[in-house]
Amino acid sequence: MIGSRAQRPVGGAVGSVALWVYAVGALVPLVLMVTSSFRTNADLITDPLGAPWPLSTESYTTAWTDGNFATYFGNSLLVTAGAVLRVTAPLGPIDYTLGMQLSALAWGGAFVGFLLFYGPILFSPRVGEAR
Amino acid sequence: MRRRTAVLFTAPALLLFGVFVLYPMFTAFSYAFFEWRGTARGGFAGVANFDTLFTKRPFTTDLPRALWHNALFFLGTMVCQNTIGLAIAFLLHRRQRTRRALQTLYAMPYLVSPIVIGYLWTLLLSPSFGPVNTLLTKIGLESWALPWLGQPSTAIWVVVLVSVWQWIGFPVLLYGAALGGIPDDLTEAARVDGASNRQSFFKIVLPLLVPAIGTVSVLTFIFAMEAFALPYAFGGSTGNPAGSTDFVSLLFYRTAFDSGSIDAVGTSSALATMLFLLIFGGALLATMVLRRHERRITT
């Protein structure tokens, strides 16, 4: 019986309630974002928490036409595809080599690892823009 | 592995790393040591640009304040991630049926851009039509319906808490993986020996989580020192209200793009260099201390 007791989740029912309450907290603002997107401005100001009924797709039309959504989405797609390619393509070979030659690289292995792991995120993208 | 193969395999990654990380980094470093007239580089300036950061306005007032806000932001997010995040991960641990679903829910805000999150919370916290204050008033807590983002005393904490809310899924995932790596035998053996749940958590689980706590803290440090998008979405480039949500990255942005000052390139590069050294030094030091600690608990 000892074995089965060890597998029991921590916190029991109280823990479950706490976890679901937090999940609601994580989700409600996002749900409000979505419901608000289907309501008109005037409607939002008079009743911020009201239901998105009747559905108004006016905001989506505005975002698509006045906001040039298609162009910007295309730009984002291009940048994302490029970034994924640039990060993943060269990493396979270098990981393989580093794994095979780890002893040879032991002298600076830790530092190289540190640079490769933290390097790109250490440097704020804003700094690059300054050029 | 042949030498030529090794070179061939490492070259693409090192080349890209050099072109996109090292080259811009060292260029920015070098810019900090020259005089600038607009975008034209003048003579070697030594540490004059760094001197500006400590002697001239607005840096004498804005830089210490921005650094202080970065520090508060780091402390706030770190404390919350290492308590709330760890608590959630610990509660989720061993809940086979609901763990995946809940983890996904916690990670949802992470999928929305910080700029959008900032805008969304500005609307939610709006004193005139924000749902948060409407709700507080409805349940009788009218005295709590404050202009959260309008007063300096609360604005910075809104940034901290919203940031924690957005990124909490990350420590939950990391701690979840670390908890999964702790063999059940250990806690079970402790219980057989008469340890209470509390003892088994503080004497066995927590010490084994130190590497994960270290990783989360170092990444939080880097993240907090570079904070830009969320504070920008909340307070614009000047850290409204009254500079109470100003951060070093925002000061950098103002110096580089908004100041219109003739030596903006040099001063902003000096600021960027200082920020980089601060983050690099902090992260390196913390990693070294952690490595030593890890070696002690694994051997």
Side-chain angles (χ1 to χ4, degrees):
Chain A
M1 284 318 284
I2 283 170
S4 66
R5 214 192 123 201
Q7 296 303 317
R8 262 194 357 213
V10 189
V14 180
S16 283
V17 172
L19 286 170
W20 284 105
V21 166
Y22 191 90
V24 170
L27 224 53
V28 162
L30 299 180
V31 171
L32 274 171
M33 174 177 81
V34 177
T35 54
S36 302
S37 75
F38 287 111
R39 302 173 61 203
T40 60
N41 252 354
D43 194 22
L44 272 173
I45 287 168
T46 47
D47 183 14
L49 285 168
W53 210 256
L55 280 185
S56 150
T57 51
E58 192 187 311
S59 307
Y60 283 88
T61 322
T62 316
W64 189 271
T65 52
D66 299 355
N68 289 323
F69 189 85
T71 315
Y72 299 148
F73 186 68
N75 290 345
S76 291
L77 211 60
L78 198 68
V79 170
T80 308
V84 168
L85 202 68
R86 121 129 177 71
V87 169
T88 51
L91 275 190
I94 198 174
D95 277 350
Y96 180 71
T97 320
L98 286 179
M100 298 289 283
Q101 310 257 311
L102 208 57
S103 58
L105 285 167
W107 47 272
F111 190 68
V112 171
F114 178 85
L115 266 186
L116 284 175
F117 182 55
Y118 286 129
I121 47 172
L122 270 174
F123 218 55
S124 171
R126 271 73 60 191
V127 176
E129 286 162 18
R131 285 180 300 130
Chain B
M1 186 189 255
R2 278 186 313 162
R3 197 182 183 81
R4 217 175 53 192
T5 324
V7 171
L8 209 67
F9 272 28
T10 40
L14 291 181
L15 194 74
L16 286 169
F17 186 68
V19 171
F20 290 111
V21 180
L22 289 181
Y23 174 71
M25 238 166 77
F26 286 109
T27 321
F29 281 155
S30 75
Y31 284 1
F33 296 95
F34 285 93
E35 281 172 29
W36 288 87
R37 292 258 167 277
T39 52
R41 197 170 66 180
F44 186 71
V47 291
N49 287 322
F50 293 90
D51 199 50
T52 307
L53 296 178
F54 293 101
T55 53
K56 293 218 176 87
R57 293 181 62 80
F59 301 104
T60 45
T61 55
D62 287 11
L63 187 56
R65 188 181 62 186
L67 272 172
W68 171 240
H69 290 156
N70 276 95
L72 282 183
F73 187 67
F74 166 58
L75 285 176
T77 41
M78 191 187 71
V79 166
C80 291
Q81 291 192 327
N82 286 335
T83 52
I84 303 175
L86 181 55
I88 291 176
F90 196 55
L91 289 176
L92 274 180
H93 184 48
R94 299 210 185 108
R95 282 174 207 272
Q96 305 297 348
R97 278 182 302 127
T98 49
R99 194 178 61 205
R100 286 269 163 213
L102 283 165
Q103 269 177 351
T104 311
L105 290 183
Y106 298 150
M108 289 289 262
Y110 176 93
L111 301 178
V112 183
S113 155
I115 291 281
V116 177
I117 291 290
Y119 180 67
L120 176 65
W121 278 96
T122 311
L123 294 181
L124 292 177
L125 292 168
S126 156
S128 49
F129 61 90
V132 173
N133 283 358
T134 313
L135 199 70
L136 285 171
T137 314
K138 265 184 188 161
I139 59 171
L141 286 169
E142 263 171 65
S143 57
W144 281 54
L146 301 166
W148 299 102
L149 280 164
Q151 49 187 23
S153 55
T154 50
I156 176 100
W157 299 112
V158 170
V159 179
V160 170
L161 289 177
V162 169
S163 174
V164 169
W165 171 80
Q166 185 181 10
W167 302 99
I168 199 78
F170 173 67
V172 167
L173 276 179
L174 255 175
Y175 287 137
L179 283 168
I182 297 176
D184 281 340
D185 308 14
L186 293 179
T187 43
E188 208 170 305
R191 204 162 34 75
V192 170
D193 285 346
S196 66
N197 280 339
R198 175 194 294 260
Q199 278 174 325
S200 131
F201 177 78
F202 283 104
K203 304 263 172 178
I204 295 169
V205 177
L206 203 58
L208 287 171
L209 283 180
V210 165
I213 294 174
T215 307
V216 169
S217 301
V218 170
L219 288 172
T220 307
F221 174 72
I222 297 173
F223 170 80
M225 294 319 266
E226 301 186 332
F228 179 81
L230 195 63
Y232 185 81
F234 273 127
S237 66
T238 51
N240 285 321
S244 62
T245 58
D246 198 9
F247 288 86
V248 178
S249 290
L250 290 177
L251 179 61
F252 170 81
Y253 182 88
R254 288 205 302 277
T255 313
F257 304 113
D258 284 351
S259 70
S261 124
I262 190 108
D263 57 351
V265 174
T267 327
S268 57
S269 296
L271 185 56
T273 304
M274 259 190 40
L275 182 60
F276 172 78
L277 290 178
L278 188 70
I279 298 174
F280 189 75
L284 196 64
L285 198 74
T287 311
M288 270 158 57
V289 171
L290 280 165
R291 282 277 150 74
R292 193 169 304 156
H293 188 87
E294 260 170 61
R295 234 171 278 143
R296 213 170 52 213
I297 57 170
T298 48
T299 52

